[in-house]
């Protein structure tokens, strides 16, 4: 299967394509019941794999190994992978791109930050000189075969946002992302700047960008929306609440038969769907996974 082509076709549809940020195999198993596309979020992966913030700790072999496990369990889902700055070195970035494409990733996001890097919605971001980033991006683009590539700028100064968005729109990148966009007016402005090039919008709870529905994003001409952390933040609240309840009940577990909460049976049934032999002979059905019109 040509995963990059499949994602390009989804991006080309009239409606905004949602990709849901997952942080481990279990969160992906749940998300797969609701959406047909994943975003392998650097924020979520740094938190779950290392217990650290998204400030450059991720090692590329760990990310590639995780993407490989995802593809084995979910052979028909779109999978866009955050590769940060390409792990600093352009040659490493190209190697990671080839590795990810070989295991079935649909696409990657390559940013123009320099170290020390930050989450796209954090303060204090530093960016590479534009020409240096464009050289790295060009190498990555020439390294891929079918993989979709998102060119991302983390510029925050208005004139620099426009300059970089224009420059990225003239490259062979498939999609453009200006991260940390602060208003609807700026989404419209960026949309006009990049012309016909597909546009991606990043939504993260508590971030700098406005909260918008998929319908609103479609009207603004946004082609792809990534939701970086809904699973991670939901798990944070749910785990905290469950352990508070357990403490208050003197360690007595709730009766899942009465509460309807997930127990051994429900969890096992969910995970059994990921066994690779169950995918043999199964053809992808784009209508099998409902994609809600808003989030």
């Amino acid at each position: 299967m040509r995963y990059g082509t499949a994602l390009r076709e989804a991006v080309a549809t009239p409606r905004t394509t949602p990709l849901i940020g997952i942080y481990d195999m279990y969160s992906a198993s749940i998300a797969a019941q609701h959406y047909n596309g994943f975003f392998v979020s650097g924020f979520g992966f740094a938190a779950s794999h290392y217990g650290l913030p998204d400030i450059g700790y991720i090692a590329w072999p760990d990310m590639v190994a995780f993407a490989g496990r995802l593809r084995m369990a979910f052979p028909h889902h779109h999978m866009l992978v955050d590769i940060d700055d390409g792990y600093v070195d352009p040659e490493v970035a190209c190697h990671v791109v080839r590795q990810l494409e070989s295991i079935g990733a649909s696409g990657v996001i390559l940013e123009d930050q320099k170290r020390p890097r930050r989450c796209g919605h954090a303060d204090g971001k530093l960016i590479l000189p534009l020409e240096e980033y464009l050289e790295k991006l060009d190498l990555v683009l020439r390294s891929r075969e079918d993989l979709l590539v998102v060119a991302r700028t983390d510029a925050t100064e208005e004139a620099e946002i426009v300059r970089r968005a224009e420059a990225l729109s003239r490259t062979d990148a498939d999609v453009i992302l200006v991260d940390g966009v602060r208003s609807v007016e700026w989404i419209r402005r960026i949309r006009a700047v990049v012309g016909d090039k597909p546009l991606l919008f990043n939504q993260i709870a508590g971030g700098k960008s406005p909260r918008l529905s998929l319908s609103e994003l479609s009207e603004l001409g946004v082609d792809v929306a990534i939701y970086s952390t809904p699973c991670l933040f939901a798990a944070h609240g749910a785990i905290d609440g469950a352990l508070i309840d357990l403490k208050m009940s003197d360690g007595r577990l709730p009766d899942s038969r009465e509460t309807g909460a997930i127990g051994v049976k429900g969890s096992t049934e969910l995970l059994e769907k990921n066994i690779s032999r169950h995918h043999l002979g199964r053809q992808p059905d784009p209508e099998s996974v409902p994609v809600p019109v808003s989030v």
Side-chain angles (χ1 to χ4, degrees), residues 7-274:
L7 183 53
R8 283 187 193 87
E9 290 172 352
V11 169
T13 60
R15 292 190 51 76
T16 303
T17 298
L19 301 175
I20 301 302
I22 48 85
Y23 62 88
D24 67 0
M25 294 300 296
Y26 201 89
S27 64
S29 301
I30 298 170
Q33 309 303 302
H34 302 280
Y35 289 87
N36 65 357
F38 298 141
F39 171 52
V40 185
S41 158
F43 190 112
F45 188 76
S48 64
H49 198 78
Y50 305 104
L52 295 170
D54 184 22
I55 55 174
Y57 286 107
I58 296 173
W60 70 260
D62 294 337
M63 182 60 87
V64 170
F66 178 47
R69 292 195 297 274
L70 279 170
R71 181 50 78 208
M72 180 67 74
F74 308 101
H76 307 308
H77 277 65
H78 304 305
M79 184 170 66
L80 179 65
V81 181
D82 183 2
I83 61 169
D84 294 339
D85 57 356
Y87 310 99
V88 186
D89 187 273
E91 292 297 340
V92 174
C94 295
H95 180 71
V96 171
V97 162
R98 295 301 297 268
Q99 290 279 325
L100 286 169
E101 185 159 20
S102 72
I103 56 91
S106 307
V108 297
I109 299 178
L110 179 71
E111 68 189 33
D112 62 358
Q113 286 196 52
K114 65 180 179 180
R115 301 288 169 126
R117 69 168 308 280
R118 297 284 185 269
C119 167
H121 287 251
D123 295 324
K125 296 187 293 183
L126 303 172
I127 53 176
L128 293 168
L130 178 58
E131 290 306 316
E132 185 176 338
Y133 173 69
L134 291 176
E135 289 176 8
K136 183 190 293 187
L137 176 63
D138 182 62
L139 284 172
V140 163
L141 291 168
R142 287 191 280 121
S143 297
R144 58 92 182 262
E145 294 180 7
D146 182 57
L147 195 76
L148 178 143
V149 175
V150 179
R152 162 180 159 178
T153 180
D154 282 83
T156 56
E157 195 275 323
E158 292 186 358
E160 190 63 14
I161 290 173
V162 171
R163 185 172 86 98
R164 293 195 176 225
E166 287 178 338
L168 298 185
S169 71
R170 294 192 294 269
T171 70
D172 290 331
D174 299 281
V175 181
I176 306 301
L177 164 60
V178 177
D179 212 7
V181 177
R182 295 171 183 260
S183 68
V184 168
E185 290 70 24
W186 263 98
I187 296 174
R188 292 194 179 101
R189 186 169 179 182
I190 294 164
R191 174 71 277 171
V193 165
V194 302
D196 295 333
K197 188 77 77 171
L199 185 63
L200 186 151
F201 181 69
N202 180 17
Q203 299 210 90
I204 181 170
K208 297 181 181 298
S209 298
R211 295 182 302 111
L212 299 169
S213 70
L214 288 173
S215 297
E216 290 169 323
L217 290 173
S218 295
E219 291 173 2
L220 290 167
V222 172
D223 303 277
V224 190
I226 53 174
Y227 294 84
S228 297
T229 55
C231 297
L232 180 70
F233 293 169
H236 184 141
I239 292 168
D240 196 39
L243 296 181
I244 288 171
D245 290 345
L246 185 64
K247 188 183 295 183
M248 293 181 65
S249 63
D250 192 29
R252 188 188 302 278
L253 287 170
D255 188 339
S256 60
R257 291 167 297 184
E258 293 181 359
T259 64
I262 291 294
V264 172
K265 183 175 184 293
S267 180
T268 301
E269 288 175 350
L270 173 72
L271 297 174
E272 283 177 342
K273 297 175 183 177
N274 299 341

